[in-house]
Amino acid sequence: MLGLEPVPIEVQQVACDIAVVLPEQVTHAALMQSVRAASTGGLLRSATLFDIYRPKPGAEGQAGMTPQEKSLAVRLVLASAQDTLTDERIDAAVQAVVDQLAADLGARLRA
């Protein structure tokens, strides 16, 4: 035995940011539960909320939002140890998250 340490497999990672508009009462926990439930083909490694935006009072229609809505920005980290991440696989995984958020929480992408 040569006593060699195993070489760790490098995992290609991609970070994608999405901002979704949701009803004000949606919680962080509900958002993350919905993100984790998305069918990403095993590519989703982590999701982190990094921004919350609310329109200023009296600015109805600002950013296409009502006063009863907020925008939550989430960084998705996608990775695969088995094969290369293609644009198609990345786009499909991100779309799966957006679709899951729409179905579970009534979310829509922020314009």
Side-chain angles (χ1 to χ4, degrees):
M1 190 116 204
L2 296 175
L4 298 176
E5 293 291 320
V7 176
I9 297 173
E10 288 191 32
V11 177
Q12 177 188 15
Q13 290 189 346
V14 174
C16 303
D17 295 343
I18 60 170
V20 292
V21 176
L22 296 157
E24 182 63 46
Q25 68 270 19
V26 172
T27 65
H28 175 263
L31 175 77
M32 291 299 125
Q33 180 178 7
S34 184
V35 168
R36 285 190 299 273
S39 297
T40 63
L43 297 181
L44 183 65
R45 295 296 187 261
S46 68
T48 306
L49 176 66
F50 69 90
D51 188 46
I52 301 172
Y53 171 79
R54 291 178 173 93
K56 293 181 178 154
E60 286 78 11
Q62 183 180 15
M65 297 170 57
T66 69
Q68 295 79 33
E69 295 177 314
K70 62 185 173 186
S71 172
L72 302 178
V74 178
R75 175 157 295 136
L76 306 173
V77 175
L78 308 173
S80 174
Q82 282 73 34
D83 35 20
T84 303
L85 292 178
T86 62
D87 288 342
E88 292 80 20
R89 290 183 71 203
I90 293 165
D91 292 345
V94 172
Q95 189 61 52
V97 171
V98 171
D99 292 346
Q100 189 74 43
L101 290 169
D104 292 348
L105 306 173
R108 66 181 186 281
L109 283 177
R110 184 171 166 197

